[in-house]
Amino acid sequence: MAKVKLFDIAIARSGDKGDGSNVGIMAKTPELYDFLYEQLTAGRVKEFFKEICFGEVERYALPNLQALNFILYDSLGGGGTETLLTDAQGKCHGTGLLHMELDVPDELLV
Amino acid sequence: MSTERIVRVANAQGFWGDSMLAPIRLVNEGPVDYLTFDYLAEITMSIMQKQRSRNPEHGYALDFVRMLEKILPVCKEKGIKVIANAGGVNSKACAKATSELIARLGLTGMKVGIVEGDDILDSLPDLIAGGESFTNMDTGAPISDITDRISSANVYIGAKPIVEALEQGADIIITGRASDPSLVVAPLVYEFGWSMEDYDKLAAGTIMGHIMECGAQCTGGNYTNWKEVKDFARIGYPVCEAKADGSFMVTKHEGTGGLVNIETVTSQLLYELGDPQNYLGPDCIADFTTIRLTEVSEDRVEVSGIQGRAATDTYKVSISYANGYKLLGSLCVPGPDAVAKGQLIADMIFDRLALHGFDLPEEQRFVEFFGSNVLLKGLVQSSDEPHEVMVRIGARSQDKEVLSVLGTEMAPVVTSGPPGVTGFAGGRPRPQDIVGYWPALIDKSKVTTSVTVNEV
């Protein structure tokens, strides 16, 4: 096991959906996708974003793209034209998720 | 060599304000059959309504016509057709300006098409009386909450009327609030003779549109591994090579900057995605879990396998309304104790507002210390005190006056607050209108689109 930031095993993109954001994350290999599918639950993402996301977190899987899609409700300070946040559209939430550290089995890190 | 027919569609504008270089380079640096321009975001229609109310000849993307001046001679020479939702709330005026431009450039013989019927602002009361609820899709709130302050109402219409304009020989098609992917679906339906009930094909076109709708975001822009991307300044905007079977290649012109690989395409597939199995559009429901991506060669990713289903009986409607005001100002302050000084600045400004006799409830106030991990709040741990912060102070209110007064108390902090306050640029901040966004649905049978094509 090695403590690894998601930057090393995935890529991400995020954007706004009303007063929420979506964060898409794609694993670098099929094995890492299986690992993220097990480990990167909606609950874990909600806990990680607790200072940003004040609503539920919903998760969808796209195994064909080795990807997971998270919806972070109530995470944009009003969203749209109402919010005063610098990151009004959640553009940084994808980069943010990649800062998460997970214990990854060594054999997946080749 | 394969003789299979290919139709090349390129998106030259990801949003109103995207680089003006993109369309010029797309038509000059490689082969393209159709050039699409996506101008409209949720609140754009409301801005355009305001512009039209000041000048009946405005209310569309004026930039579009300025842009056409630079590319139309090449488009005519090469036979490139243009499809743009640049019409905003005044497609007729946009078409008139375009026709005048064609005449001025001596490009007579070109045909300009207009697709209308998306603007339901004037018929909204009748539609409500006739049983359409326009309940807010996000919040469930009834339309009666905002009926006295609505500023625009537009239906996201589909590909069908655009196909009709192409059938009538239009070289340039101007629409109002056509849905972004439909601008791309339409030329494929027209060229390949796809049935509007062949949902797998329509889904393929829809996903092709989704991949391209933010311009360079699928060719290396905003990509996590940005250090792998070559020549951002000359980034190639996306070109999709579509085949009749619904498969297509995502690429960019040879010799341009940027990067097309499975990761850059996947990133954009995930952008602003909700439920991947139910991507709702006016033409079909696309299933993102059926997409297959293959990296064929450098900067070429093949997309295939896409499945779709029949669209719902409703169109999405975008309604905008006046929802009070907001104000934001910023001041910069150096360390030591940059955050503590920032907090003092925020407190003293709101205290002074109270001394003016205004009570601004806590939940309407906004304070952010930019430089102290606001973009990654709680996601990274840093014990280091920042050497500087930008204090962003603002508020939202239904009362414009309270915000105006708040705006007057920003600059005085420079001389009457903690030491080193600077960077008060741009003058006194003023209250801005908040345009609220109200997503709703409308029964398809209540919407009538029309197509007009005229030769210049």
Side-chain angles (χ1 to χ4, degrees):
Chain A
M1 286 285 187
K3 222 172 215 1
V4 163
K5 279 198 174 180
L6 296 188
F7 275 111
D8 294 330
I9 62 170
I11 59 164
R13 175 157 301 170
S14 57
D16 63 326
K17 290 194 80 63
D19 189 21
S21 64
N22 95 298
V23 181
I25 181 162
M26 177 196 171
K28 286 191 174 171
T29 65
E31 295 76 20
L32 284 166
Y33 170 75
D34 292 339
F35 171 77
L36 287 179
Y37 185 84
E38 290 300 320
Q39 296 292 320
L40 199 58
T41 58
R44 198 155 189 171
V45 171
K46 163 78 182 158
E47 172 62 22
F48 190 61
F49 277 89
K50 61 180 182 289
E51 291 185 44
I52 289 177
C53 173
F54 302 102
E56 293 299 304
V57 170
E58 203 171 4
R59 186 181 92 158
Y60 296 100
L62 297 94
N64 55 317
L65 301 177
Q66 291 169 206
L68 298 169
N69 184 33
F70 296 92
I71 315 294
L72 279 56
Y73 293 98
D74 193 3
S75 61
L76 296 179
T81 52
E82 303 192 17
T83 181
L84 294 168
L85 290 170
T86 296
D87 191 13
Q89 295 167 308
K91 298 271 184 194
C92 300
H93 293 182
T95 301
L97 180 58
L98 295 177
H99 278 276
M100 184 191 275
E101 280 186 339
L102 289 177
D103 288 316
V104 184
D106 295 329
E107 63 270 24
L108 297 183
L109 296 171
V110 275
Chain B
M1 220 179 101
S2 165
T3 54
E4 197 172 355
R5 191 151 156 263
I6 280 170
V7 174
R8 292 180 174 85
V9 184
N11 184 27
Q13 199 80 173
F15 58 98
W16 195 12
D18 202 353
S19 172
M20 302 278 268
L21 293 168
I24 297 170
R25 294 183 50 222
L26 275 169
V27 298
N28 285 296
E29 295 180 5
V32 170
D33 300 311
Y34 288 88
L35 205 58
T36 62
F37 292 75
D38 176 18
Y39 281 97
L40 305 180
E42 276 76 8
I43 63 148
T44 316
M45 304 308 272
S46 151
I47 297 168
M48 289 175 167
Q49 283 288 3
K50 207 172 278 178
Q51 290 173 345
R52 188 176 68 173
S53 68
R54 285 196 290 259
N55 180 341
E57 294 297 309
H58 287 178
Y60 63 91
L62 297 169
D63 293 357
F64 172 68
V65 182
R66 290 183 204 119
M67 158 57 49
L68 281 183
E69 179 156 13
K70 300 197 170 108
I71 63 166
L72 268 195
V74 185
C75 289
K76 185 165 191 228
E77 183 199 324
K78 296 185 174 176
I80 300 169
K81 296 189 179 191
V82 170
I83 304 173
N85 58 15
V89 297
N90 204 350
S91 292
K92 279 198 179 74
C94 184
K96 182 166 167 256
T98 301
S99 299
E100 285 166 5
L101 173 71
I102 291 170
R104 186 155 57 79
L105 295 174
L107 301 173
T108 45
M110 292 190 94
K111 288 183 178 172
V112 179
I114 317 175
V115 172
E116 293 175 291
D118 62 295
D119 189 343
I120 56 165
L121 181 61
D122 294 338
S123 54
L124 212 50
D126 290 341
L127 288 164
I128 293 169
E132 291 298 308
S133 75
F134 298 109
T135 302
N136 187 309
M137 281 169 70
D138 289 346
T139 65
I143 191 75
S144 53
D145 286 1
I146 60 157
T147 31
D148 54 340
R149 45 201 174 109
I150 291 174
S151 49
S152 71
N154 294 80
V155 179
Y156 284 75
I157 58 175
K160 202 157 173 256
I162 305 174
V163 175
E164 282 170 37
L166 288 167
E167 285 167 351
Q168 292 180 39
D171 300 295
I172 301 165
I173 298 169
I174 294 160
T175 77
R177 180 61 282 190
S179 110
D180 314 342
S182 298
L183 304 177
V184 170
V185 172
L188 304 182
V189 169
Y190 170 68
E191 291 283 345
F192 296 128
W194 289 346
S195 155
M196 290 305 286
E197 272 128 47
D198 190 342
Y199 301 115
D200 289 349
K201 303 284 198 314
L202 299 180
T206 298
I207 287 174
M208 187 167 133
H210 178 88
I211 289 172
M212 292 202 288
E213 77 183 20
C214 294
Q217 268 204 157
C218 65
T219 54
N222 196 13
Y223 173 44
T224 298
N225 298 329
W226 59 279
K227 289 174 185 170
E228 293 171 16
V229 179
K230 284 180 289 193
D231 202 359
F232 272 103
R234 287 168 199 77
I235 197 163
Y237 272 57
V239 179
C240 281
E241 302 171 353
K243 290 184 187 169
D245 66 1
S247 67
F248 58 91
M249 192 78 73
V250 184
T251 187
K252 60 190 184 66
H253 286 332
E254 258 176 65
T256 58
L259 178 67
V260 179
N261 64 21
I262 285 183
E263 293 190 347
T264 65
V265 173
T266 300
S267 299
Q268 187 54 24
L269 282 168
L270 297 170
Y271 184 68
E272 291 185 344
L273 185 63
D275 177 353
Q277 290 182 293
N278 291 290
Y279 184 88
L280 305 181
D283 304 313
C284 64
I285 298 171
D287 183 350
F288 277 51
T289 66
T290 60
I291 300 169
R292 275 201 310 271
L293 300 180
T294 316
E295 222 161 279
V296 175
S297 56
E298 192 183 347
D299 292 325
R300 291 176 73 78
V301 171
E302 191 189 48
V303 186
S304 61
I306 293 168
Q307 292 173 19
R309 306 192 300 284
T312 63
D313 294 332
T314 52
Y315 285 119
K316 190 173 172 186
V317 182
S318 166
I319 297 171
S320 65
Y321 63 100
N323 195 21
Y325 307 91
K326 65 180 176 183
L327 175 126
L328 186 74
S330 60
L331 293 153
C332 300
V333 63
D337 307 318
V339 175
K341 285 183 196 166
Q343 189 61 58
L344 171 62
I345 290 167
D347 291 346
M348 67 185 274
I349 287 175
F350 286 116
D351 282 354
R352 284 182 180 178
L353 185 66
L355 294 175
H356 280 285
F358 291 102
D359 175 35
L360 192 65
E362 188 68 34
E363 67 273 14
Q364 293 177 17
R365 302 178 184 189
F366 175 81
V367 180
E368 191 177 72
F369 303 118
F370 193 88
S372 66
N373 285 341
V374 300
L375 300 180
L376 301 172
K377 198 174 174 191
L379 307 178
V380 289
Q381 308 307 325
S382 172
S383 53
D384 296 336
E385 164 79 13
H387 293 295
E388 59 199 27
V389 295
M390 178 191 281
V391 190
R392 301 176 74 246
I393 299 174
R396 288 187 288 208
S397 178
Q398 298 293 324
D399 180 358
K400 201 170 183 174
E401 195 193 353
V402 64
L403 298 183
S404 294
V405 174
L406 181 66
T408 66
E409 287 297 347
M410 304 262 178
V413 173
V414 176
T415 50
S416 62
V421 178
T422 187
F424 186 71
R428 179 182 290 173
R430 296 182 193 287
Q432 295 179 321
D433 296 336
I434 295 179
V435 178
Y437 168 61
W438 186 280
L441 297 171
I442 185 170
D443 192 290
K444 278 184 172 166
S445 66
K446 301 285 177 66
V447 179
T448 311
T449 54
S450 66
V451 177
T452 320
V453 177
N454 287 308
E455 185 173 324
V456 181

